[in-house]
Structure formats: C-alpha cells, structure tokens
mmCIF file of all heavy atoms in Angstrom:
data_model
loop_
_atom_site.group_PDB
_atom_site.id
_atom_site.type_symbol
_atom_site.label_atom_id
_atom_site.label_comp_id
_atom_site.label_asym_id
_atom_site.label_seq_id
_atom_site.Cartn_x
_atom_site.Cartn_y
_atom_site.Cartn_z
ATOM 1 N N GLY A 1 92.677 48.826 239.282
ATOM 2 C CA GLY A 1 93.294 47.502 239.258
ATOM 3 C C GLY A 1 93.254 46.741 240.564
ATOM 4 O O GLY A 1 93.788 45.639 240.652
ATOM 5 N N ASP A 2 92.640 47.298 241.605
ATOM 6 C CA ASP A 2 92.564 46.597 242.892
ATOM 7 C C ASP A 2 91.595 45.420 242.803
ATOM 8 O O ASP A 2 90.501 45.551 242.269
ATOM 9 C CB ASP A 2 92.071 47.534 244.005
ATOM 10 C CG ASP A 2 93.047 48.659 244.308
ATOM 11 O OD1 ASP A 2 94.257 48.462 244.118
ATOM 12 O OD2 ASP A 2 92.587 49.729 244.743
ATOM 13 N N ILE A 3 92.009 44.284 243.345
ATOM 14 C CA ILE A 3 91.154 43.104 243.421
ATOM 15 C C ILE A 3 91.250 42.562 244.846
ATOM 16 O O ILE A 3 92.349 42.364 245.358
ATOM 17 C CB ILE A 3 91.592 42.017 242.423
ATOM 18 C CG1 ILE A 3 91.502 42.540 240.988
ATOM 19 C CG2 ILE A 3 90.755 40.748 242.601
ATOM 20 C CD1 ILE A 3 92.138 41.640 239.958
ATOM 21 N N MET A 4 90.092 42.345 245.470
ATOM 22 C CA MET A 4 90.040 41.810 246.833
ATOM 23 C C MET A 4 89.229 40.536 246.857
ATOM 24 O O MET A 4 88.170 40.453 246.238
ATOM 25 C CB MET A 4 89.361 42.795 247.786
ATOM 26 C CG MET A 4 90.102 44.032 248.077
ATOM 27 S SD MET A 4 89.180 45.044 249.257
ATOM 28 C CE MET A 4 90.192 46.520 249.221
ATOM 29 N N GLU A 5 89.737 39.567 247.613
ATOM 30 C CA GLU A 5 89.012 38.332 247.871
ATOM 31 C C GLU A 5 88.905 38.169 249.375
ATOM 32 O O GLU A 5 89.893 38.353 250.090
ATOM 33 C CB GLU A 5 89.754 37.122 247.312
ATOM 34 C CG GLU A 5 89.852 37.069 245.810
ATOM 35 C CD GLU A 5 90.641 35.865 245.355
ATOM 36 O OE1 GLU A 5 91.860 35.813 245.649
ATOM 37 O OE2 GLU A 5 90.042 34.972 244.728
ATOM 38 N N ILE A 6 87.716 37.809 249.848
ATOM 39 C CA ILE A 6 87.485 37.546 251.269
ATOM 40 C C ILE A 6 86.928 36.136 251.398
ATOM 41 O O ILE A 6 86.020 35.750 250.658
ATOM 42 C CB ILE A 6 86.473 38.548 251.880
ATOM 43 C CG1 ILE A 6 86.986 39.982 251.781
ATOM 44 C CG2 ILE A 6 86.119 38.176 253.307
ATOM 45 C CD1 ILE A 6 87.870 40.467 252.888
ATOM 46 N N PHE A 7 87.474 35.390 252.342
ATOM 47 C CA PHE A 7 87.042 34.023 252.640
ATOM 48 C C PHE A 7 86.578 33.998 254.088
ATOM 49 O O PHE A 7 87.280 34.517 254.963
ATOM 50 C CB PHE A 7 88.215 33.043 252.498
ATOM 51 C CG PHE A 7 88.919 33.107 251.175
ATOM 52 C CD1 PHE A 7 89.886 34.072 250.922
ATOM 53 C CD2 PHE A 7 88.628 32.190 250.181
ATOM 54 C CE1 PHE A 7 90.557 34.128 249.703
ATOM 55 C CE2 PHE A 7 89.288 32.232 248.959
ATOM 56 C CZ PHE A 7 90.253 33.196 248.720
ATOM 57 N N ILE A 8 85.395 33.402 254.351
ATOM 58 C CA ILE A 8 84.893 33.347 255.736
ATOM 59 C C ILE A 8 84.515 31.928 256.137
ATOM 60 O O ILE A 8 84.073 31.132 255.323
ATOM 61 C CB ILE A 8 83.690 34.299 255.955
ATOM 62 C CG1 ILE A 8 82.502 33.913 255.071
ATOM 63 C CG2 ILE A 8 84.092 35.746 255.740
ATOM 64 C CD1 ILE A 8 81.217 34.693 255.373
ATOM 65 N N LYS A 9 84.709 31.663 257.425
ATOM 66 C CA LYS A 9 84.220 30.445 258.068
ATOM 67 C C LYS A 9 83.216 30.904 259.115
ATOM 68 O O LYS A 9 83.483 31.840 259.876
ATOM 69 C CB LYS A 9 85.349 29.676 258.759
ATOM 70 C CG LYS A 9 86.092 28.734 257.863
ATOM 71 C CD LYS A 9 85.250 27.539 257.515
ATOM 72 C CE LYS A 9 86.036 26.515 256.723
ATOM 73 N NZ LYS A 9 85.208 25.460 256.187
ATOM 74 N N VAL A 10 82.068 30.250 259.140
ATOM 75 C CA VAL A 10 80.997 30.636 260.061
ATOM 76 C C VAL A 10 80.609 29.424 260.898
ATOM 77 O O VAL A 10 80.399 28.336 260.359
ATOM 78 C CB VAL A 10 79.762 31.155 259.285
ATOM 79 C CG1 VAL A 10 78.665 31.601 260.243
ATOM 80 C CG2 VAL A 10 80.151 32.293 258.346
ATOM 81 N N ASP A 11 80.535 29.614 262.210
ATOM 82 C CA ASP A 11 80.126 28.558 263.123
ATOM 83 C C ASP A 11 79.032 29.108 264.037
ATOM 84 O O ASP A 11 79.269 30.083 264.759
ATOM 85 C CB ASP A 11 81.323 28.076 263.949
ATOM 86 C CG ASP A 11 81.018 26.840 264.764
ATOM 87 O OD1 ASP A 11 80.075 26.093 264.425
ATOM 88 O OD2 ASP A 11 81.722 26.621 265.771
ATOM 89 N N ASN A 12 77.858 28.516 263.962
ATOM 90 C CA ASN A 12 76.706 28.977 264.759
ATOM 91 C C ASN A 12 76.447 30.469 264.593
ATOM 92 O O ASN A 12 76.180 31.181 265.561
ATOM 93 C CB ASN A 12 76.904 28.647 266.245
ATOM 94 C CG ASN A 12 76.833 27.161 266.504
ATOM 95 O OD1 ASN A 12 76.050 26.447 265.868
ATOM 96 N ND2 ASN A 12 77.646 26.680 267.426
ATOM 97 N N GLY A 13 76.561 30.948 263.355
ATOM 98 C CA GLY A 13 76.261 32.348 263.071
ATOM 99 C C GLY A 13 77.375 33.329 263.396
ATOM 100 O O GLY A 13 77.212 34.533 263.240
ATOM 101 N N ILE A 14 78.543 32.824 263.845
ATOM 102 C CA ILE A 14 79.680 33.677 264.198
ATOM 103 C C ILE A 14 80.797 33.484 263.176
ATOM 104 O O ILE A 14 81.137 32.352 262.828
ATOM 105 C CB ILE A 14 80.238 33.315 265.601
ATOM 106 C CG1 ILE A 14 79.149 33.357 266.678
ATOM 107 C CG2 ILE A 14 81.437 34.201 265.963
ATOM 108 C CD1 ILE A 14 78.704 34.720 267.083
ATOM 109 N N LEU A 15 81.384 34.576 262.714
ATOM 110 C CA LEU A 15 82.536 34.485 261.812
ATOM 111 C C LEU A 15 83.760 34.103 262.641
ATOM 112 O O LEU A 15 84.297 34.918 263.380
ATOM 113 C CB LEU A 15 82.770 35.810 261.081
ATOM 114 C CG LEU A 15 81.864 36.046 259.879
ATOM 115 C CD1 LEU A 15 80.463 36.437 260.287
ATOM 116 C CD2 LEU A 15 82.458 37.063 258.962
ATOM 117 N N THR A 16 84.137 32.838 262.539
ATOM 118 C CA THR A 16 85.236 32.325 263.362
ATOM 119 C C THR A 16 86.594 32.488 262.702
ATOM 120 O O THR A 16 87.616 32.521 263.383
ATOM 121 C CB THR A 16 85.013 30.837 263.705
ATOM 122 O OG1 THR A 16 84.861 30.108 262.484
ATOM 123 C CG2 THR A 16 83.786 30.665 264.583
ATOM 124 N N ASP A 17 86.616 32.585 261.380
ATOM 125 C CA ASP A 17 87.867 32.797 260.674
ATOM 126 C C ASP A 17 87.583 33.605 259.420
ATOM 127 O O ASP A 17 86.566 33.399 258.755
ATOM 128 C CB ASP A 17 88.521 31.459 260.306
ATOM 129 C CG ASP A 17 89.976 31.600 259.870
ATOM 130 O OD1 ASP A 17 90.579 32.671 260.079
ATOM 131 O OD2 ASP A 17 90.524 30.622 259.313
ATOM 132 N N VAL A 18 88.467 34.530 259.134
ATOM 133 C CA VAL A 18 88.350 35.369 257.940
ATOM 134 C C VAL A 18 89.755 35.556 257.381
ATOM 135 O O VAL A 18 90.685 35.873 258.123
ATOM 136 C CB VAL A 18 87.742 36.756 258.262
ATOM 137 C CG1 VAL A 18 87.612 37.592 256.997
ATOM 138 C CG2 VAL A 18 86.401 36.626 258.965
ATOM 139 N N LYS A 19 89.901 35.334 256.107
ATOM 140 C CA LYS A 19 91.177 35.544 255.426
ATOM 141 C C LYS A 19 90.926 36.402 254.192
ATOM 142 O O LYS A 19 89.813 36.468 253.672
ATOM 143 C CB LYS A 19 91.791 34.213 254.980
ATOM 144 C CG LYS A 19 92.087 33.254 256.103
ATOM 145 C CD LYS A 19 93.417 33.540 256.730
ATOM 146 C CE LYS A 19 93.806 32.462 257.721
ATOM 147 N NZ LYS A 19 93.859 32.935 259.072
ATOM 148 N N PHE A 20 91.994 37.041 253.716
ATOM 149 C CA PHE A 20 91.855 37.830 252.498
ATOM 150 C C PHE A 20 93.079 37.670 251.620
ATOM 151 O O PHE A 20 94.159 37.313 252.071
ATOM 152 C CB PHE A 20 91.633 39.313 252.816
ATOM 153 C CG PHE A 20 92.897 40.076 253.143
ATOM 154 C CD1 PHE A 20 93.614 40.730 252.144
ATOM 155 C CD2 PHE A 20 93.363 40.151 254.443
ATOM 156 C CE1 PHE A 20 94.776 41.424 252.442
ATOM 157 C CE2 PHE A 20 94.522 40.848 254.744
ATOM 158 C CZ PHE A 20 95.233 41.487 253.739
ATOM 159 N N ARG A 21 92.849 37.959 250.362
ATOM 160 C CA ARG A 21 93.919 38.029 249.369
ATOM 161 C C ARG A 21 93.605 39.262 248.536
ATOM 162 O O ARG A 21 92.516 39.372 247.972
ATOM 163 C CB ARG A 21 93.890 36.767 248.517
ATOM 164 C CG ARG A 21 95.155 36.426 247.856
ATOM 165 C CD ARG A 21 95.220 35.014 247.361
ATOM 166 N NE ARG A 21 94.032 34.569 246.637
ATOM 167 C CZ ARG A 21 93.943 33.383 246.045
ATOM 168 N NH1 ARG A 21 94.943 32.543 246.111
ATOM 169 N NH2 ARG A 21 92.850 33.035 245.412
ATOM 170 N N THR A 22 94.547 40.201 248.494
ATOM 171 C CA THR A 22 94.323 41.456 247.773
ATOM 172 C C THR A 22 95.494 41.776 246.866
ATOM 173 O O THR A 22 96.645 41.682 247.269
ATOM 174 C CB THR A 22 94.109 42.624 248.765
ATOM 175 O OG1 THR A 22 92.896 42.393 249.466
ATOM 176 C CG2 THR A 22 94.027 43.966 248.059
ATOM 177 N N PHE A 23 95.154 42.146 245.642
ATOM 178 C CA PHE A 23 96.125 42.675 244.700
ATOM 179 C C PHE A 23 95.798 44.150 244.577
ATOM 180 O O PHE A 23 94.712 44.501 244.103
ATOM 181 C CB PHE A 23 95.994 41.975 243.348
ATOM 182 C CG PHE A 23 96.907 42.530 242.306
ATOM 183 C CD1 PHE A 23 98.231 42.128 242.249
ATOM 184 C CD2 PHE A 23 96.456 43.463 241.393
ATOM 185 C CE1 PHE A 23 99.090 42.653 241.296
ATOM 186 C CE2 PHE A 23 97.309 43.991 240.431
ATOM 187 C CZ PHE A 23 98.626 43.582 240.389
ATOM 188 N N GLY A 24 96.696 44.992 245.056
ATOM 189 C CA GLY A 24 96.406 46.411 244.967
ATOM 190 C C GLY A 24 97.402 47.257 245.719
ATOM 191 O O GLY A 24 98.457 46.795 246.146
ATOM 192 N N CYS A 25 97.022 48.489 245.909
ATOM 193 C CA CYS A 25 97.877 49.486 246.543
ATOM 194 C C CYS A 25 97.869 49.341 248.063
ATOM 195 O O CYS A 25 97.162 48.506 248.623
ATOM 196 C CB CYS A 25 97.395 50.884 246.151
ATOM 197 S SG CYS A 25 95.731 51.253 246.764
ATOM 198 N N ALA A 26 98.641 50.177 248.723
ATOM 199 C CA ALA A 26 98.737 50.155 250.185
ATOM 200 C C ALA A 26 97.365 50.323 250.842
ATOM 201 O O ALA A 26 97.037 49.618 251.802
ATOM 202 C CB ALA A 26 99.685 51.248 250.670
ATOM 203 N N SER A 27 96.550 51.221 250.318
ATOM 204 C CA SER A 27 95.219 51.451 250.893
ATOM 205 C C SER A 27 94.315 50.236 250.737
ATOM 206 O O SER A 27 93.535 49.916 251.641
ATOM 207 C CB SER A 27 94.548 52.658 250.238
ATOM 208 O OG SER A 27 95.264 53.830 250.529
ATOM 209 N N ALA A 28 94.413 49.549 249.612
ATOM 210 C CA ALA A 28 93.595 48.356 249.383
ATOM 211 C C ALA A 28 93.998 47.239 250.336
ATOM 212 O O ALA A 28 93.139 46.579 250.934
ATOM 213 C CB ALA A 28 93.728 47.895 247.935
ATOM 214 N N ILE A 29 95.285 47.042 250.499
ATOM 215 C CA ILE A 29 95.769 45.991 251.405
ATOM 216 C C ILE A 29 95.413 46.340 252.846
ATOM 217 O O ILE A 29 94.910 45.495 253.596
ATOM 218 C CB ILE A 29 97.282 45.781 251.210
ATOM 219 C CG1 ILE A 29 97.519 45.171 249.823
ATOM 220 C CG2 ILE A 29 97.863 44.902 252.321
ATOM 221 C CD1 ILE A 29 98.943 45.203 249.347
ATOM 222 N N ALA A 30 95.625 47.579 253.245
ATOM 223 C CA ALA A 30 95.302 47.997 254.616
ATOM 224 C C ALA A 30 93.800 47.904 254.880
ATOM 225 O O ALA A 30 93.383 47.451 255.957
ATOM 226 C CB ALA A 30 95.791 49.418 254.868
ATOM 227 N N SER A 31 92.981 48.286 253.910
ATOM 228 C CA SER A 31 91.518 48.200 254.076
ATOM 229 C C SER A 31 91.076 46.751 254.220
ATOM 230 O O SER A 31 90.215 46.435 255.053
ATOM 231 C CB SER A 31 90.806 48.839 252.882
ATOM 232 O OG SER A 31 91.015 50.229 252.845
#
C-alpha cells in the first residue's frame, strides 16, 4: 500500500528543489 510521489525543480542541470508526498509506513516515509 505504499505510494510515493517525488517532485523536482531543475536549474542548469542541478536539482535545486525536491519535495515528496508519501502514503505508507515509517520505512517508506524515511526512505
């Protein structure tokens, strides 16, 4: 039942911002 979403912003080839939204257990959120 774990679901992970990752959102990235890239500027000149560099990941400048990364956010996540996870529905899951402690290990899923920590990962």
Side-chain angles (χ1 to χ4, degrees):
D2 294 331
I3 299 170
M4 291 182 188
E5 293 178 294
I6 299 273
F7 306 82
I8 62 172
K9 274 288 186 189
V10 182
D11 189 22
N12 291 324
I14 305 286
L15 280 76
T16 56
D17 194 13
V18 181
K19 299 276 188 246
F20 81 91
R21 203 163 46 175
T22 294
F23 176 82
C25 64
S27 295
I29 292 166
S31 293

